[in-house]
């Protein structure tokens, strides 16, 4: 374990007395982190899947096996998928869709009633009281480790299988491996969890000092510091606090304190004004999660709006559910960038589902009360301030601008959403910006549709321009005969010329692809139509996606 | 009272820059670092994308919007009616932060002015309907707000639009019925339509028309406005990205499918003495 140094004491003295007092009273935190949680949560019996988590076409997490095969974080999906044909791709939205982690984290409740889910795969609880009860921090950590392992083996068939073969499912590098740490504050505990360490009280500063500055939880500030020659946490802490505050604003000051081991975030509830607490008493006890979520929607929105208007964001929310018979489920949920309406409703749903499927503690009657109590509120500036101290484009600011634009144009601005479909055009749904509050059921259903396989889907790359309406063309052979498609989707004639109807514009076809037949709307006998698509490369119009439908040819898109 | 050391310190503190010049940039990554000066884009810049019809400009724009620090920014797309968002997604653009205003019509200048205030990146297709004075104002706003404006000089992104029956007539062809195009009426060039076009067909006067323009038309037809004829505010861009498509692989005479395309990109920057650097990539 790192030793406390005199230099560290000097560093601490730069902070106000309040900081030091806060540090001294900050509770010890026990934190459990599952390093490969996204891959554990996907439905797979494979103990070491070749899989990646993808967000907006970019790999944001890769399983140990995928990393071994050379896939890196930040790779584009196309690059990764072409390198590994058997790669399993998990959308970031789909990770832990069923709230499985809430069930795993509930193991901690056996040790302490107050648990916080910091992020998916990371949960924490206070360590001070339980460590005294269990006879020390080491014993507590050992107890949690054993309980967690039992729960994982119980829940995941892959882990069970490994254990039955006398292999250790939790060996380092395994997909089920996890780390447990005890330290001052969540940030230090999270760093310590990588090596499963117990950092003695007050030694966080010296423990963090050798860490690379790139580990700071703010990419932009870390990058700037690195470029300015600051390479480690220790060097960052050596900078004068007031200069850091002046230069990087409150966000930089917060990071400075964190780097010094004075992590102000804790599991202990800070003083929260009672008027911020939202107690939703349902008129009738409700038995399904969807009904409870629906009933809470408006109040949640109002609560978060009030917080935002007062310049605050809630990072930790305590959700208390009470059944008609008085049974209770209490859980703290975390969101580093503050809760959005959708995020909070989703967490409530997870808690409801985890509670109702608990074989011992499941409620015996419908839900009557939902109480939302913010546990950690921070100034929205802490999250939103830009590097130069100016306001970064926040959702509220963007939303305000778009409302003005909509008023000018008279139409709604929209955001593109990718959905499951076989065609490039069908795969995109334009959603009006104003739809902040998604219907969660619909959203969930949509995500499951996205995740479903789409046999016959057009392969990547997709056309960069998709015409709407499609452009009618004439596709002809070198002799001038029209190219048609046989009943079994074979081109009758080699395409040589295309000409756009009514304009006389022509282009020579240089190459063309295999035909890609598809039965569109096959479920509707009246509207179903057989479509054949081909890609053609022309001399002046570039590469085009054209389709034959009802005896006519149309340009559907351009690979511009 | 003489000037004390303390007061000098205070004055120098006031005079010192609030943030360093090097931070007024967006860092790029990948091949962009080879062609953009110092591998980054200065905030408050206009980046103009140009290319012929089959030049891969749209793909180049997608690659640009997903490069390095650009990816973390909110992006407003203005005037892109036909964009292939699936392709953008495949190339790594964060669609959750991309808002599209597909058809701003003649309010384009006003719309862009509003968006610049909130969005760090605003991408405009076909900046028609922007007068030179508006253009000057927009550029100064971009500089002031430290936003980045990306202009894509193409006619490919808007095919159909509801056109008010006013303005200058242009080469309208094709039959109209009840104020709407039937079949595949094609209007070349500018979108302004004179009501005479409608009356000439003996149909409803002054009714809005739905017309199709030839999406592959690069040159405007007769009667086009000066602004559009002369391109996007000549001289007002800071970076000029030119793109050309070298070829497609994977597809042949009736077999295979397009797998990759080879794209040649060159970037010229006024801030770098108009020097141009080029790169050829496979995307």
């Amino acid at each position: 374990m790192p030793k406390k140094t005199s230099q560290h004491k000097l560093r601490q003295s730069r902070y106000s007395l309040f900081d030091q007092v806060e540090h001294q009273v900050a509770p010890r935190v026990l934190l459990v982190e599952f390093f490969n949680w996204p891959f554990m949560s996907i439905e797979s019996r494979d103990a070491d899947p070749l899989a990646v988590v993808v967000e907006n076409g970019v790999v944001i997490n890769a399983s140990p096996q995928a990393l071994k095969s050379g896939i890196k974080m930040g790779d584009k999906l196309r690059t990764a998928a072409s390198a590994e044909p058997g790669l399993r791709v998990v959308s970031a939205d789909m990770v832990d869709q069923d709230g499985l982690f809430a069930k795993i984290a509930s193991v901690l409740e056996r040790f302490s009633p107050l648990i916080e889910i910091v992020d998916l795969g990371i949960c924490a609880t206070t360590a001070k009281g339980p460590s005294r009860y269990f006879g020390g921090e080491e014993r507590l950590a050992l107890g949690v480790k054993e309980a967690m392992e039992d729960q994982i083996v119980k829940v995941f068939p892959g882990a069970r299988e490994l254990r039955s073969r006398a292999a250790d499912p939790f060996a380092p590098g395994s997909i089920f491996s996890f780390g447990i740490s005890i330290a001052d504050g969540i940030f230090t505990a999270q760093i310590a969890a990588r090596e499963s360490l117990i950092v003695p009280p007050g030694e966080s500063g010296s423990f963090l000092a050798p860490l690379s500055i790139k580990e700071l939880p703010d990419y932009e500030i870390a990058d700037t510091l690195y470029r300015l020659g600051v390479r480690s946490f220790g060097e960052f802490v050596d900078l004068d606090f007031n200069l850091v505050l002046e230069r990087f604003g409150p966000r930089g000051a917060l990071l400075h304190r964190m780097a010094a081991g004075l992590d102000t975030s804790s599991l202990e509830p800070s003083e929260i004004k009672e008027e911020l607490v939202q107690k939703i008493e349902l008129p009738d006890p409700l038995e399904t999660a969807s009904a409870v979520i629906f009933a809470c929607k408006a109040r949640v929105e109002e609560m978060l709006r009030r917080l935002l208007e007062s310049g605050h964001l809630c990072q930790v929310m305590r959700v208390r559910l009470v059944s008609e018979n008085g049974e209770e489920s209490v859980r703290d949920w975390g969101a580093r960038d503050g809760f959005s309406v959708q995020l909070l409703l989703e967490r409530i749903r997870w808690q409801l589902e985890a509670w109702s499927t608990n074989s011992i503690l499941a409620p015996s009657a419908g839900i009557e009360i939902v109480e939302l109590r913010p546990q950690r509120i921070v100034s929205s500036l802490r999250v939103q301030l830009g590097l130069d101290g100016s306001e970064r484009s926040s959702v509220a600011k963007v939303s305000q601008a778009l409302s003005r634009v909509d008023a000018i144009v008279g139409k709604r601005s929209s955001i593109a959403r990718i959905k499951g479909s076989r065609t490039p055009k069908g795969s995109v749904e334009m959603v009006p910006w104003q739809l902040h509050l998604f219907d969660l059921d619909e959203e969930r259903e949509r995500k499951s549709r996205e995740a479903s396989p789409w046999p016959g889907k057009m392969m990547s790359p997709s056309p960069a321009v998709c015409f709407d309406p499609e452009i009618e063309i004439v596709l002809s052979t070198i002799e001038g005969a029209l190219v048609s498609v046989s009943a079994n989707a074979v081109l009758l004639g080699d395409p040589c010329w295309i000409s756009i109807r009514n304009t006389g514009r022509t282009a020579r076809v240089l190459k063309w692809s295999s035909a890609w037949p598809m039965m569109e709307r096959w479920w509707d006998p009246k509207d179903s139509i057989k479509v054949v698509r081909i890609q053609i490369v022309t001399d002046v119009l570039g590469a085009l996606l054209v389709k034959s439908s009802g005896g006519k040819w149309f340009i559907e898109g351009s690979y511009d | 009272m003489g000037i004390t050391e303390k007061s000098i310190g205070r004055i120098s503190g006031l005079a010192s820059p609030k943030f360093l010049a090097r931070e007024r940039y967006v860092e790029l990554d990948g091949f962009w670092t080879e062609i953009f000066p110092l591998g980054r884009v200065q905030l408050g810049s206009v980046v103009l994308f140009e290319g012929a019809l089959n030049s891969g400009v749209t793909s180049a724009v997608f690659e640009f919007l997903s490069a390095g620090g650009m990816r973390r920014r909110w992006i407003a797309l203005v005037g892109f009616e036909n964009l292939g968002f699936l392709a953008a997604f495949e190339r790594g653009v964060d669609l959750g932060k991309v808002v599209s205003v597909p058809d701003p019509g003649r309010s384009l200048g006003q719309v862009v002015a509003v968006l610049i205030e909130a969005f760090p990146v605003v991408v405009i297709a076909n900046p028609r309907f922007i007068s030179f004075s508006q253009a000057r104002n927009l550029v100064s706003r971009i500089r002031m707000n430290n936003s980045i404006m990306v202009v894509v000089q193409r006619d490919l992104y808007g095919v159909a639009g509801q056109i008010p029956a006013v303005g200058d007539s242009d080469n309208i062809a094709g039959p109209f019925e009840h104020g709407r195009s039937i079949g595949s009426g094609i209007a070349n060039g500018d979108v302004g339509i004179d009501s005479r076009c409608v009356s000439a067909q003996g149909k409803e006067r002054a009714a809005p028309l739905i017309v199709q323009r030839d999406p592959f038309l690069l040159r405007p037809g007769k009667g086009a406005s000066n602004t559009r004829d002369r391109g996007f505010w000549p001289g007002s861009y800071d970076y000029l990205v030119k793109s050309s498509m070298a070829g497609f692989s994977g597809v042949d005479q009736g077999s295979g499918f397009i797998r990759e395309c080879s794209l040649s990109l060159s970037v010229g920057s006024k801030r770098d003495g108009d020097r141009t650097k080029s790169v050829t990539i496979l995307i």
Side-chain angles (χ1 to χ4, degrees):
Chain A
M1 289 293 160
K3 298 281 179 200
K4 196 171 183 177
T5 61
S6 56
Q7 195 187 3
H8 173 67
K9 280 181 193 166
L10 280 173
R11 281 176 196 155
Q12 282 197 2
S13 68
R14 289 179 187 173
Y15 298 94
S16 67
L17 184 63
F18 296 108
D19 282 326
Q20 293 183 43
V21 169
E22 194 174 2
H23 175 61
Q24 281 165 11
V25 297
R28 300 279 289 161
V29 171
L30 181 146
L31 183 136
V32 182
E33 179 169 1
F34 289 88
F35 305 120
N36 296 303
W37 175 258
F39 309 107
M40 286 170 70
S41 66
I42 58 177
E43 280 176 34
S44 169
R45 295 185 69 83
D46 190 356
D48 191 11
L50 178 66
V52 289
V53 179
V54 173
E55 190 173 33
N56 295 309
V58 174
V59 175
I60 57 165
N61 206 340
S63 70
Q65 205 194 332
L67 288 174
K68 272 183 225 159
S69 70
I71 293 170
K72 298 188 293 295
M73 315 284 183
D75 277 357
K76 290 190 178 167
L77 174 58
R78 281 182 57 209
T79 318
S82 59
E84 285 295 332
L87 187 70
R88 179 152 186 193
V89 179
V90 184
S91 163
D93 295 340
M94 293 296 292
V95 171
D96 203 21
Q97 196 191 19
D98 303 324
L100 188 61
F101 188 65
K103 290 174 198 166
I104 300 293
S106 63
V107 169
L108 285 184
E109 277 178 343
R110 294 183 211 160
F111 299 87
S112 166
L114 183 67
I115 69 167
E116 181 182 326
I117 295 177
V118 182
D119 208 341
L120 281 181
I122 306 172
C123 54
T125 185
T126 49
K128 201 172 177 182
S131 66
R132 268 182 289 193
Y133 180 81
F134 286 94
E137 289 184 339
E138 279 182 26
R139 284 195 179 184
L140 171 68
L142 204 64
V144 171
K145 182 174 178 283
E146 283 168 6
M148 274 291 173
E149 285 180 357
D150 289 346
Q151 181 77 346
I152 296 295
V153 169
K154 202 167 133 191
V155 174
F156 295 99
R160 212 160 36 237
E161 208 175 298
L162 279 174
R163 187 166 269 190
S164 68
R165 283 189 276 151
D168 181 11
F170 307 103
S174 154
I175 196 162
F176 300 108
S177 62
F178 62 92
I180 294 183
S181 64
I182 298 180
D184 295 339
I186 290 174
F187 178 68
T188 313
Q190 210 174 326
I191 302 283
R194 295 174 194 170
E195 303 289 330
S196 284
L197 294 175
I198 295 175
V199 182
E203 293 206 4
S204 297
S206 46
F207 169 70
L208 295 172
L211 271 188
S212 162
I213 197 70
K214 300 222 166 176
E215 301 274 358
L216 268 188
D218 186 304
Y219 173 81
E220 287 185 11
I221 292 183
D223 191 47
T224 309
L225 286 168
Y226 188 83
R227 283 192 280 115
L228 293 172
V230 179
R231 295 288 191 268
S232 67
F233 275 41
E235 288 175 26
F236 179 40
V237 173
D238 283 341
L239 299 175
D240 187 83
F241 175 75
N242 290 327
L243 286 177
V244 171
L245 177 65
E246 188 183 317
R247 176 71 180 71
F248 294 105
R251 176 85 176 150
L254 180 72
L255 292 171
H256 193 263
R257 277 198 290 265
M258 283 167 84
L262 301 175
D263 181 10
T264 51
S265 59
S266 69
L267 296 170
E268 289 293 304
S270 49
E271 236 180 84
I272 301 292
K273 288 178 188 167
E274 274 303 309
E275 62 255 29
L276 289 174
V277 177
Q278 196 74 253
K279 191 173 180 182
I280 305 163
E281 290 180 13
L282 305 172
D284 296 311
L286 299 172
E287 296 197 344
T288 62
S290 301
V292 175
I293 296 297
F294 185 76
C296 295
K297 221 181 214 179
R299 297 282 292 275
V300 167
E301 191 183 27
E302 187 199 330
M303 177 192 194
L304 295 182
R305 186 180 48 78
R306 267 185 15 220
L307 264 174
L308 195 66
E309 279 171 3
S310 64
H312 291 94
L313 288 170
C314 175
Q315 285 186 323
V316 177
M317 182 74 79
R318 178 166 296 172
V319 179
R320 179 169 156 259
L321 306 169
V322 184
S323 78
E324 195 185 5
N325 292 342
E327 297 127 322
E328 276 191 12
S329 162
V330 182
R331 185 145 303 170
D332 285 358
W333 296 95
R336 282 177 191 170
D337 295 333
F339 273 104
S340 66
V341 176
Q342 190 192 358
L343 193 67
L344 182 53
L345 289 175
E346 202 168 59
R347 297 301 184 259
I348 298 172
R349 177 191 287 275
W350 287 359
Q351 186 172 334
L352 276 165
E353 285 175 354
W355 189 27
S356 59
T357 53
N358 190 318
S359 54
I360 304 164
L361 301 170
S364 56
I367 305 300
E368 202 169 38
I369 297 171
V370 177
E371 190 183 271
L372 305 170
R373 185 179 288 269
Q375 293 297 102
R376 190 188 307 149
I377 286 181
V378 293
S379 161
S380 55
L381 292 177
R382 275 191 172 181
V383 177
Q384 292 174 18
L385 267 185
L387 193 61
D388 55 352
S390 62
E391 195 186 346
R392 194 178 284 169
S393 287
S394 62
V395 174
K397 201 173 169 188
V398 163
S399 177
Q400 198 181 4
L402 289 172
S403 302
R404 284 176 64 195
V405 166
D406 290 356
I408 295 167
V409 180
K411 289 177 193 167
R412 285 184 165 189
S413 320
S414 49
I415 275 190
R417 263 203 221 150
I418 301 299
K419 60 174 187 171
S421 173
R422 291 184 293 174
T423 62
K425 206 196 291 178
S427 301
V428 176
E429 179 185 21
M430 299 307 290
V431 183
W433 168 254
Q434 283 83 349
L435 283 181
H436 289 301
L437 194 61
F438 305 110
D439 185 296
L440 283 183
D441 285 336
E442 196 183 300
E443 179 77 347
R444 184 171 284 253
E445 197 185 319
R446 184 184 66 78
K447 283 176 182 168
S448 68
R449 281 202 306 269
E450 248 176 58
S452 319
W454 285 90
K457 188 180 175 181
M458 292 292 297
M459 62 168 61
S460 167
S462 301
V465 178
C466 291
F467 297 112
D468 188 14
E470 289 147 0
I471 301 156
E472 193 179 340
I473 54 165
V474 175
L475 192 62
S476 53
T477 63
I478 195 162
E479 295 87 13
L482 297 181
V483 176
S484 55
V485 182
S486 72
N488 52 353
V490 174
L491 289 188
L492 302 174
D494 290 348
C496 185
W497 296 98
I498 71 162
S499 107
I500 300 173
R501 274 202 182 273
N502 293 318
T503 65
R505 181 181 295 276
T506 58
R508 190 181 171 86
V509 177
L510 305 175
K511 293 174 181 178
W512 66 98
S513 72
S514 312
W516 190 285
M518 204 179 280
M519 182 64 85
E520 290 188 353
R521 301 185 64 81
W522 50 267
W523 60 90
D524 186 349
K526 279 183 191 169
D527 288 348
S528 70
I529 185 164
K530 195 172 181 181
V531 171
V532 173
R533 289 183 170 81
I534 56 170
Q535 295 167 324
I536 58 174
V537 181
T538 65
D539 55 353
V540 290
L541 300 180
L544 305 168
L545 177 66
V546 299
K547 77 170 186 184
S548 163
S549 168
K552 291 179 180 174
W553 286 94
F554 300 90
I555 301 178
E556 210 176 9
S558 165
Y559 294 89
D560 179 51
Chain B
M1 258 176 76
I3 298 173
T4 62
E5 200 179 321
K6 199 176 171 185
S7 64
I8 289 173
R10 199 171 62 237
I11 292 164
S12 69
L14 289 171
S16 64
K18 201 169 178 190
F19 52 98
L20 302 175
R22 65 165 66 176
E23 284 148 23
R24 292 183 179 148
Y25 291 94
V26 179
E27 297 287 338
L28 301 175
D29 62 5
F31 59 86
W32 293 108
T33 55
E34 294 171 34
I35 47 178
F36 263 84
L38 302 173
R40 58 200 190 185
V41 187
Q42 185 162 358
L43 295 176
S45 301
V46 177
V47 185
L48 178 62
F49 277 79
E50 263 192 1
L53 187 59
N54 52 353
S55 58
V57 163
T58 317
S59 299
V61 171
F62 291 158
E63 291 286 340
F64 181 70
L65 296 180
S66 66
M70 296 293 286
R71 204 181 135 73
R72 290 191 298 275
R73 286 158 197 268
W74 279 92
I75 297 167
L77 298 173
V78 189
F80 291 87
E81 287 181 78
N82 295 324
L83 209 59
F85 284 99
L86 184 59
F89 173 76
E90 286 170 357
R91 299 208 185 282
V93 178
D94 183 354
L95 291 186
K97 285 192 168 176
V98 177
V99 181
S100 174
V101 184
D103 183 15
R106 289 180 183 270
S107 314
L108 177 62
Q110 211 183 339
V111 166
V112 173
V114 172
L115 291 173
I116 286 170
E117 299 291 329
F119 283 81
V121 182
V122 180
V123 189
I124 314 172
N126 300 322
R128 60 185 74 212
F129 304 135
I130 293 184
S131 66
F132 285 116
S133 59
Q134 264 183 327
R136 275 196 300 276
N137 284 337
L138 288 178
V139 172
S140 69
R141 276 189 194 220
I142 290 161
R143 309 258 191 263
M144 229 161 53
N145 286 305
N146 278 334
S147 312
I148 292 173
M149 179 183 277
V150 178
V151 179
V152 191
Q153 194 96 347
R154 299 290 295 278
D155 240 4
L156 198 62
Y157 306 112
V159 179
Q162 193 157 4
I163 311 303
V166 291
D168 51 343
S169 175
D170 216 339
N171 309 320
I172 308 294
F176 295 98
E177 194 174 306
H178 300 299
R180 284 177 182 273
S181 143
I182 53 169
S184 50
I186 301 290
N188 287 334
D190 202 355
V191 288
I193 295 167
D194 195 311
S195 57
R196 280 173 302 170
C197 292
V198 185
S199 60
Q201 303 289 326
K203 301 296 177 188
E204 293 172 8
R205 285 175 65 91
L209 294 176
I210 301 291
V211 297
Q212 274 194 327
R213 283 185 296 112
D214 180 349
F216 296 109
L217 192 72
L218 284 177
R219 288 179 180 281
K222 288 176 190 172
S225 67
N226 281 338
T227 312
R228 198 195 54 189
D229 268 347
R230 287 158 63 178
F232 180 78
W233 315 322
S236 62
Y237 61 83
D238 302 289
Y239 302 94
L240 174 64
V241 183
K242 286 188 176 177
S243 150
S244 64
M245 193 79 90
F248 295 88
S249 68
V251 63
D252 207 346
Q253 310 296 324
S255 64
F257 292 96
I258 292 174
R259 288 188 64 81
E260 280 178 328
C261 52
S262 164
L263 196 64
S264 292
L265 292 168
S266 68
V267 175
S269 165
K270 288 188 176 168
R271 300 182 182 202
D272 197 27
D274 267 332
R275 266 179 292 177
T276 303
K277 294 176 186 172
S278 306
V279 69
T280 301
I281 52 157
L282 283 176
I283 56 171

